[in-house]
Amino acid sequence: MNNDAEAPAEAQPDAQVDPPSRKRPRVGSKSPEPSEPQRHERLWFEDGNVVLQAGDTMFRVYRGILCNASEVFRDMFSIPQPPEGETVDGVPLVRLYDSPFELADLLDVLLNGKKFMKQSARPTWPVVQSLYRLGTKYQMQDLRGIAVHYIKRLRLDKQQRRERLYDPTKSAVIYEPADVIAMANLASAFNFGKNILLDFLYVCCQLNVEQLLEGIPHSRGHVERLSPDLLQACIQGRENLILASVAMVRECLVGDRCRDADCDLILRERRIPEEDTKAYYNTDPLGFWDIPYYQKQYDDLKDLVCQTCFPAMLDSFEDYQDDIYAHLGQYIKLNVIY
C-alpha cells in the first residue's frame, strides 16, 4: 500500500439536526416509540466517569483514557458543561453520531488493547474499519495506525496474491463476503490511492452480478452495497477481465517451445471449452489455476507434455498475469483521478 493511504480526508461528525415536521399527525395514528437506550454488556464500568451514547447503545467509560488517546475528546471535555446537562446515574452523558457497532469496536480496542494485540489474533474487517474511520474522526493516531498496518497487509503482491486477500483463512484479517464491498467503499471514501482500491475492486469483480447490484447482507444487520461509481467500474471490469482470461489462454496454451508437434496439439486442445461456462466466463485471470477445470488440466498436462513445454507454459502464464496486475487500471477503469 502506498503512503497516500496514511493521509486520508478527515471524517467530520454529522451535527445537523433535522427540523421538526410541520405535517399534522393522522387521527388515530401513533408515532413509533423511540427505543430505550441500552447499556453495553461489556463496555459499562460502574466506576466510569462519562457515558457515551451512539444510537440506542450507551457506554460508561473513562474520560481520562479518552482524553489521553484523542485530541478531539480532550478538546470536547475541556469545555465547561452546563449544570442542567444530561446525565445517566449522575454521570455526564455525551451523544455521538456514530454507529454503535463501530464505537464499541473502538472502545474495545482502546480499553482491552492487550487482548487485541496478541500476535496469534487476527482482527475482523469491521474492527479494522472502525479503527480507521473513528480513529481518523477523533484523531486517535495510535488506533488509526493499527488499522493502517492491517490494511497494508491486505495489498496483493506477486508472491502472495492468492493468500493476502482472496483466502479468508490466510488473510491478514478475518472477513465475510460483504466485507469485500466495505473494503472498496472505505478505500474510495478515504482516498487510499488507486492501487489498493484496484486490489479491492478486483476481488469485488469475483462477486456475481446479483450480489453487485443488490448488495450483500452483513452479519451486523445491514447490507453492504458498492457506491454507484464503483459499481459501474466493477460491472465493466468483469467484462474486461473475462476478455483478458480468454486472451491469456489463447496466447499461453501453446507448445512452440520444442520440436514435438504433439505438445502444441495437446495444449491447444486444452483451451477453454465454450460449453464449460464457469471456465469460459472467468473473471479471475490472476487465479487461473484455481478454476476447477484448469486444476484438472494442470495435473494432466504435467504428464502429457514434455519437460520443456510444461514449465515454459507456466512461465508464460505467470508473465501474462503479472502484466494484467501491473495494468489493472486498464481493466477496472475508475472515473475519478488519483
Side-chain angles (χ1 to χ4, degrees):
M1 176 176 173
N2 14 19
N3 292 332
D4 57 0
E6 301 213 17
E10 292 291 337
Q12 298 297 330
D14 181 6
Q16 294 182 353
V17 178
D18 293 332
S21 173
R22 295 185 179 181
K23 294 182 179 180
R24 291 185 179 181
R26 293 180 180 178
V27 176
S29 65
K30 293 184 179 180
S31 301
E33 293 292 334
S35 57
E36 189 72 21
Q38 300 296 316
R39 301 180 180 191
H40 194 275
E41 183 179 358
R42 291 182 298 102
L43 298 171
W44 183 273
F45 302 95
E46 294 299 334
D47 60 342
N49 54 9
V50 66
V51 174
L52 306 179
Q53 181 176 336
D56 60 355
T57 306
M58 297 188 299
F59 310 83
R60 184 167 178 173
V61 290
Y62 305 96
R63 180 182 304 189
I65 294 177
L66 293 173
C67 291
N68 186 58
S70 164
E71 294 182 17
V72 173
F73 279 113
R74 191 180 311 137
D75 293 342
M76 182 190 306
F77 292 136
S78 68
I79 302 173
Q81 299 299 310
E84 65 276 11
E86 290 184 285
T87 62
V88 176
D89 296 343
V91 176
L93 171 68
V94 178
R95 297 180 183 273
L96 301 176
Y97 298 93
D98 300 309
S99 157
F101 285 111
E102 292 193 343
L103 186 59
D105 291 336
L106 185 83
L107 294 174
D108 203 9
V109 175
L110 182 63
L111 299 172
N112 301 298
K114 289 183 179 180
K115 181 178 70 174
F116 177 82
M117 293 302 293
K118 284 183 179 179
Q119 292 183 354
S120 60
R122 290 187 303 147
T124 64
W125 170 256
V127 170
V128 172
Q129 177 172 264
S130 300
L131 293 182
Y132 192 91
R133 194 191 304 275
L134 297 190
T136 299
K137 176 179 178 179
Y138 293 115
Q139 298 179 29
M140 294 178 160
Q141 302 306 328
D142 290 342
L143 299 189
R144 181 179 178 277
I146 293 173
V148 170
H149 166 75
Y150 283 104
I151 291 169
K152 283 182 176 181
R153 292 179 60 193
L154 285 173
R155 278 300 313 275
L156 308 183
D157 60 32
K158 182 175 180 179
Q159 299 301 321
Q160 296 175 299
R161 232 178 239 150
R162 305 304 301 164
E163 296 181 3
R164 283 289 181 92
L165 187 53
Y166 302 143
D167 188 345
T169 66
K170 298 179 180 178
S171 172
V173 303
I174 301 169
Y175 66 91
E176 56 186 274
D179 289 328
V180 173
I181 292 177
M183 292 174 189
N185 284 332
L186 188 76
S188 176
F190 285 88
N191 193 18
F192 283 5
K194 180 178 180 180
N195 290 335
I196 193 167
L197 176 56
L198 286 171
D199 281 354
F200 292 155
L201 289 178
Y202 182 88
V203 183
C204 287
C205 286
Q206 311 318 313
L207 302 172
N208 62 49
V209 174
E210 181 180 357
Q211 289 173 316
L212 290 174
L213 293 176
E214 302 296 331
I216 302 179
H218 197 279
S219 61
R220 289 191 166 186
H222 63 280
V223 177
E224 287 287 357
R225 294 183 176 88
L226 282 171
S227 63
D229 56 328
L230 298 185
L231 175 60
Q232 179 181 354
C234 278
I235 295 297
Q236 185 60 54
R238 282 174 52 86
E239 300 299 321
N240 293 336
L241 291 171
I242 289 171
L243 295 176
S245 294
V246 173
M248 178 176 67
V249 171
R250 289 176 177 170
E251 183 168 324
C252 299
L253 271 182
V254 294
D256 55 1
R257 290 93 173 177
C258 72
R259 297 181 180 180
D260 189 344
D262 289 342
C263 285
D264 186 57
L265 179 61
I266 291 170
L267 289 170
R268 290 178 184 274
E269 287 178 345
R270 301 306 173 103
R271 288 181 173 181
I272 298 176
E274 294 189 22
E275 65 273 10
D276 190 330
T277 55
K278 288 186 178 179
Y280 193 78
Y281 295 103
N282 171 35
T283 60
D284 188 11
L286 301 183
F288 178 76
W289 295 111
D290 291 338
I291 301 169
Y293 173 83
Y294 286 106
Q295 284 180 339
K296 183 178 186 306
Q297 304 312 314
Y298 180 94
D299 294 334
D300 292 345
L301 289 172
K302 283 190 298 185
D303 299 324
L304 293 175
V305 299
C306 71
Q307 295 305 306
T308 297
C309 286
F310 185 73
M313 177 202 69
L314 295 182
D315 290 341
S316 180
F317 270 103
E318 184 175 349
D319 291 342
Y320 206 106
Q321 290 169 323
D322 288 344
D323 186 72
I324 290 175
Y325 184 63
H327 301 92
L328 204 52
Q330 296 179 13
Y331 301 93
I332 304 173
K333 298 182 180 180
L334 303 173
N335 294 327
V336 293
I337 299 175
Y338 284 86

